[in-house]
Amino acid sequence: MPAEPPKLLDQVRRALRVKHYAIRTEEAYIQWIKRYILFHDKRHPSEMNIPEIEAFFTHLAVHDQVTASTQNQALAALLFLYRQVLHQELERPIDAVRAKAPQRLPTVLSRAEVQAVLAQLQEPYQVMAHLMYGAGLRLMECVRLRVKDVDFAQRQITVRSGKGNRDRVTLLPDRVKEPLQRQLRIAQALHHNDLEQGYGRVYLPNALARKYPNAEYDWIWQYVFPAERRSSDPRTGIVRRHHVDESGLQKAMKRAAQLASVPKHVTCHTLRHSFATHLLEDGYDIRTIQELLGHSDVKTTMIYTHVLNRGGRGVRSPLDG
């Protein structure tokens, strides 16, 4: 009996893994493709094209009222499906109702508010928050940080595969050196214990495990902030020590802001916004800040010029004389 061809979603997963997409991206794309198929009463995507895609996207914008970024992610998932899995070209450009991207300014904390929030955190979350504020790291860049990418001698951190799959170098604050070294000693003791028990492997990206067979056991490849427990890799079933779950840090940040009585909507990303704004206040040029943040376009960085603590674009109110 000839083997049955793999199911569509299995084909999508295989194509995503061949191209080394992140597991979060894989999960998101699978969910969007499922929604697209269910929206059209389980018709196979190969039987559909632009009209069905446009109807789906119009529904997302008008009925579900999704954000522009969410709609863009759905579009990326369907384009991947048609081009990389079905090898089917779209008949024409997509013409559907598009969600409008809101023009919102980021929430920024004052320096005093930042210190008040940081003071309410416990380790390891406090040192992680210090890195997000002191080095401008994104949440996932912080939790995915590996031992080899922290350079105490050069006072720098190398961010690997950041947004847009780009590497960059940012600063390592002096204030965080001592608590970070303590965290590394804790992580190293955990790694040694794993090795003694026959474990000690860590996930390596982009097939590095095949190129360097023993690297997944090496200390330098381990996560700076490892999870408390070992877990099974959802793709391979291999038991490894993954990085700490980001949800714990998110909850700790929310709680810290409440304890510090900061009357703002504070998230982990608020610390990165504050990092950029405070550097601008200190007189650093926009290009330097762009490089530290890893923005591909300086226009993205320019938004922080609008949130400097000067009120009304620097205009002095007539009420103040």
Side-chain angles (χ1 to χ4, degrees):
M1 294 290 291
E4 292 186 5
K7 295 180 179 180
L8 177 64
L9 294 182
D10 290 334
Q11 293 179 48
V12 175
R13 289 190 182 94
R14 185 168 59 188
L16 287 164
R17 292 174 188 182
V18 165
K19 293 184 176 295
H20 306 298
Y21 278 68
I23 190 167
R24 292 168 185 271
T25 305
E26 176 184 319
E27 293 168 352
Y29 279 23
I30 292 294
Q31 289 304 313
W32 280 119
I33 293 169
K34 282 183 179 178
R35 286 182 63 173
Y36 173 62
I37 293 171
L38 292 173
F39 178 77
H40 288 294
D41 300 320
K42 300 184 179 180
R43 289 174 62 193
H44 196 282
S46 62
E47 301 172 358
M48 301 185 282
N49 206 279
I50 289 293
E52 290 80 8
I53 295 175
E54 290 177 345
F56 179 61
F57 280 100
T58 298
H59 176 81
L60 289 178
V62 177
H63 183 268
D64 292 350
Q65 297 184 336
V66 301
T67 64
S69 60
T70 298
Q71 198 181 38
N72 287 337
Q73 185 187 62
L75 176 60
L78 295 188
L79 290 177
F80 185 91
L81 169 66
Y82 277 94
R83 293 173 179 171
Q84 304 297 331
V85 180
L86 300 177
H87 306 291
Q88 179 178 327
E89 285 300 321
L90 299 180
E91 299 166 351
R92 55 178 171 79
I94 296 173
D95 182 19
V97 176
R98 302 299 297 271
K100 185 177 181 181
Q103 299 296 319
R104 295 195 181 99
L105 294 178
T107 299
V108 173
L109 303 180
S110 68
R111 295 168 195 259
E113 288 172 334
V114 169
Q115 297 306 322
V117 171
L118 295 179
Q120 297 297 331
L121 292 166
Q122 303 296 320
E123 299 298 0
Y125 298 134
Q126 187 176 68
V127 67
M128 296 174 76
H130 274 95
L131 286 173
M132 289 188 293
Y133 173 63
L137 299 185
R138 297 179 177 92
L139 170 61
M140 295 310 299
E141 291 172 349
C142 183
V143 299
R144 290 172 177 161
L145 190 63
R146 297 184 190 253
V147 174
K148 69 182 184 62
D149 296 323
V150 179
D151 190 333
F152 289 99
Q154 296 295 322
R155 300 171 58 199
Q156 67 182 30
I157 292 172
T158 302
V159 178
R160 305 287 182 183
S161 301
K163 193 171 183 179
N165 202 29
R166 293 185 298 269
D167 293 354
R168 75 178 190 278
V169 174
T170 187
L171 65 156
L172 175 62
D174 288 335
R175 183 176 169 184
V176 84
K177 285 184 178 180
E178 186 176 336
L180 189 54
Q181 287 169 340
R182 284 200 303 270
Q183 172 60 30
L184 286 171
R185 288 193 292 269
I186 293 171
Q188 190 168 32
L190 201 59
H191 179 55
H192 284 165
N193 184 60
D194 284 345
L195 290 172
E196 289 175 356
Q197 296 183 31
Y199 296 99
R201 300 169 78 173
V202 70
Y203 167 76
L204 296 183
N206 302 333
L208 284 174
R210 290 197 299 271
K211 187 176 182 180
Y212 306 109
N214 296 318
E216 59 187 346
Y217 293 97
D218 289 348
W219 162 238
I220 63 169
W221 285 97
Q222 303 300 311
Y223 291 113
V224 174
F225 303 104
E228 291 184 4
R229 298 178 180 86
R230 294 183 292 267
S231 59
S232 177
D233 189 305
R235 289 179 171 178
T236 64
I238 297 173
V239 176
R240 298 189 179 105
R241 177 81 61 177
H242 203 49
H243 57 65
V244 67
D245 192 295
E246 68 276 10
S247 64
L249 177 55
Q250 291 170 322
K251 292 174 184 176
M253 276 293 300
K254 182 178 180 180
R255 178 62 176 160
Q258 293 172 343
L259 292 173
S261 300
V262 174
K264 296 177 181 177
H265 177 62
V266 179
T267 66
C268 292
H269 212 66
T270 304
L271 295 177
R272 178 174 155 92
H273 292 321
S274 303
F275 164 82
T277 304
H278 296 166
L279 286 182
L280 278 173
E281 287 179 342
D282 290 339
Y284 291 98
D285 66 275
I286 197 76
R287 291 288 183 182
T288 298
I289 298 171
Q290 177 193 359
E291 291 180 5
L292 292 174
L293 291 173
H295 289 160
S296 59
D297 192 335
V298 73
K299 291 180 181 178
T300 308
T301 319
M302 287 294 292
I303 193 172
Y304 297 109
T305 64
H306 300 294
V307 292
L308 287 173
N309 188 25
R310 294 174 185 167
R313 298 179 180 272
V315 176
R316 183 178 178 82
S317 169
L319 183 63
D320 295 329

